[in-house]
Amino acid sequence: MATSLGSNTYNRQNWEDSDFPILCQTCLGENPYIRMTKEKFGKECKICARPFTVFRWCPGVRMRFKKTEVCQTCSKMKNVCQTCLLDLEYGLPIQVRDTGLSVKDEVPRSDVNKEYYTQNMEREIANSDGTRPVGLLGKAPSSSDMLLKLARTTPYYKRNRPHICSFWVKGECKRGEECPYRHEKPTDPDDPLADQNIKDRYYGINDPVANKLLTRASSMPRLDLPEDKSITTLYIGGLGEDVTDSELRNHFYQFGEIRTITIVQRQQCAFIQFATRQAAETAAEKSFNKLIINGRRLNVKWGRSQAARGKEKDGVTESGIRLDPVPGLPGALPPPPVSDEDASNNYFNLAPTSSHAVMNLGLPPPPGVAMPPPPGFGPPMFHTMDPMAPPMPPPMAMRPPGQVHYPSQDPQRMGAHASRHGGP
């Protein structure tokens, strides 16, 4: 049965009639001159199921046509785009934004509760100035460090590309270059990003894109506060040769009083000491992974205390991790002796023996005592029985005084007489 325009049979006074959609820059496209088609009460909202005005447009050349999917009331309640349902401020899914702002907005799912909740939100939207979100989102903190790191600052027009041609995948597409769809190999069907639901995106549950971004955020480096409250120094690395003392001071003076700035030009780093710990914490929070001076991204870390440096010298870092010794380096020297009795002349770290040999090589023998010959020059321990062998030389003590004995000049040795007379 047809209804007249003045009839309230289907609560028509709450149907939405708007002149322009709520869109993000990516969905709107890069063309500043765009044409849209407007269809009043063309479809029902995919969230609240109420009829709304549908807009349809092409965001650019070789792009697919896009249209609004939810009504403006649902869009304003979550501060999202009517087409892609991403946050208008950060360009992130609702689940990521609510996690970063610690907001848990429970939207009713049943038809009756949903209608009552929507009417209350419409009344709040009508009483607001339209510059800030409504509901719990409007009471949340203005920004979050995680959201600033994950936020997309430029439009991502690649998201507007046409879908993949299913006929080309089966090898049956006959349009060639005139086909408005993409001729590319589809992604893996087991990829979680291939299964996305608009209601999961809106309610912020089981969103595969949000799960991927949250996993990336958990693995991002972060700057933990040191336990030692006396540390008020920040380490600034990667300065290069262009960054000066005045440029560092111009950036960090806004966080608090600076006590000293020390630049180590050889290592291209600097140490900035603040007067208070609160100023150092604020500077570290505002500058970590965000500090860019003269086009160079600088590395910001906390300085170390003297106790931590001593531990690191002993092979243990500040976090308690023992470092492996570097191969090829000499070992540590032995500790000094405790007393004079323990002192010894063991300069080469030899193993101790049961009997200590006393060596007096520098002292001459007493008068009348023959000095033993050096090894190899004394008489043999065993006499040979050969009768043709030359007689043994007399001992050193029985030789005439003043005569110096050299083994090569002994006339009794074989060959000495011949060599003296110039023989062969």
Side-chain angles (χ1 to χ4, degrees):
M1 177 179 176
T3 57
S4 62
L5 294 177
S7 175
N8 294 329
T9 307
Y10 294 101
N11 200 11
R12 182 169 293 190
Q13 69 271 14
N14 291 330
W15 291 7
E16 182 183 280
D17 184 12
S18 56
D19 296 329
F20 196 83
I22 302 175
L23 302 175
C24 62
Q25 183 64 35
T26 300
C27 293
L28 193 59
E30 56 184 342
N31 186 7
Y33 306 100
I34 191 172
R35 293 185 299 177
M36 287 187 177
T37 60
K38 175 183 176 182
E39 185 179 3
K40 188 179 278 190
F41 312 138
K43 283 184 175 296
E44 67 177 18
C45 175
K46 293 186 177 180
I47 302 300
C48 63
R50 295 188 304 173
F52 72 105
T53 302
V54 177
F55 295 87
R56 188 172 182 268
W57 72 98
C58 182
V61 182
R62 301 291 297 177
M63 300 293 180
R64 73 175 188 269
F65 275 83
K66 309 193 76 171
K67 61 183 179 66
T68 52
E69 306 290 345
V70 297
C71 64
Q72 291 196 2
T73 302
C74 294
S75 172
K76 292 177 181 179
M77 285 193 302
K78 293 284 189 175
N79 193 34
V80 295
C81 172
Q82 281 188 264
T83 301
C84 63
L85 269 67
L86 295 180
D87 185 75
L88 293 173
E89 183 176 357
Y90 301 103
L92 298 173
I94 297 176
Q95 184 177 350
V96 178
R97 183 201 62 192
D98 292 350
T99 303
L101 298 177
S102 301
V103 174
K104 191 174 182 180
D105 192 4
E106 296 290 347
V107 180
R109 303 293 182 87
S110 63
D111 295 338
V112 178
N113 292 337
K114 187 190 304 181
E115 185 68 25
Y116 176 75
Y117 180 81
T118 303
Q119 290 180 0
N120 292 337
M121 294 305 297
E122 282 182 337
R123 191 179 303 109
E124 187 175 349
I125 291 172
N127 296 331
S128 65
D129 56 356
T131 58
R132 286 187 56 84
V134 296
L136 294 178
L137 187 60
K139 303 175 184 178
S142 58
S143 63
S144 170
D145 187 46
M146 183 190 75
L147 296 180
L148 294 177
K149 294 178 182 178
L150 295 177
R152 184 178 293 276
T153 57
T154 57
Y156 185 62
Y157 298 119
K158 191 177 178 180
R159 199 170 64 214
N160 300 331
R161 294 181 304 169
H163 296 294
I164 295 178
C165 180
S166 60
F167 289 91
W168 181 85
V169 174
K170 295 183 291 184
E172 300 177 359
C173 183
K174 300 179 181 179
R175 295 185 180 184
E177 295 182 356
E178 297 180 358
C179 182
Y181 298 95
R182 283 188 294 155
H183 288 181
E184 295 180 7
K185 183 179 179 181
T187 58
D188 186 7
D190 297 333
D191 186 5
L193 296 180
D195 185 15
Q196 301 184 29
N197 191 307
I198 190 171
K199 289 191 175 181
D200 291 344
R201 171 71 57 82
Y202 185 82
Y203 292 115
I205 54 173
N206 301 328
D207 188 358
V209 178
N211 294 333
K212 180 181 178 180
L213 292 175
L214 291 176
T215 304
R216 183 192 304 175
S218 61
S219 61
M220 291 177 64
R222 57 183 181 180
L223 191 62
D224 297 328
L225 296 177
E227 298 180 358
D228 190 357
K229 298 297 183 180
S230 63
I231 299 178
T232 59
T233 304
L234 295 182
Y235 165 85
I236 313 297
L239 295 181
E241 300 178 355
D242 303 332
V243 181
T244 61
D245 179 281
S246 60
E247 292 173 340
L248 291 175
R249 189 176 297 273
N250 291 338
H251 173 77
F252 284 100
Y253 86 96
Q254 58 181 322
F255 305 115
E257 181 183 354
I258 298 176
R259 183 170 298 172
T260 58
I261 295 181
T262 305
I263 296 181
V264 184
Q265 200 62 247
R266 183 178 180 182
Q267 299 180 358
Q268 296 185 355
C269 64
F271 295 92
I272 303 178
Q273 184 180 12
F274 288 88
T276 61
R277 174 60 179 258
Q278 183 64 31
E281 292 181 0
T282 305
E285 180 183 358
K286 300 295 183 181
S287 303
F288 181 67
N289 279 351
K290 306 172 190 175
L291 180 57
I292 299 177
I293 298 179
N294 291 341
R296 297 179 65 92
R297 180 178 292 274
L298 305 184
N299 187 18
V300 179
K301 295 181 180 179
W302 280 97
R304 293 174 296 177
S305 61
Q306 297 293 336
R309 295 179 185 176
K311 288 183 179 180
E312 192 161 313
K313 290 181 180 179
D314 296 338
V316 180
T317 61
E318 185 177 357
S319 58
I321 301 175
R322 180 168 295 277
L323 302 177
D324 297 333
V326 180
L329 295 180
L333 294 176
V338 180
S339 62
D340 296 339
E341 298 178 356
D342 298 336
S344 63
N345 296 330
N346 189 10
Y347 300 108
F348 300 99
N349 297 331
L350 300 178
T353 57
S354 59
S355 62
H356 300 277
V358 180
M359 302 177 65
N360 272 330
L361 299 179
L363 298 178
V369 179
M371 185 176 180
F377 299 104
M381 297 180 61
F382 303 98
H383 297 280
T384 177
M385 304 301 294
D386 189 1
M388 302 299 295
M392 298 298 297
M396 183 72 69
M398 299 179 62
R399 297 185 183 183
Q403 181 183 2
V404 181
H405 171 68
Y406 297 98
S408 61
Q409 298 180 3
D410 193 350
Q412 299 179 3
R413 294 187 60 173
M414 185 178 297
H417 182 73
S419 61
R420 184 177 301 176
H421 296 285

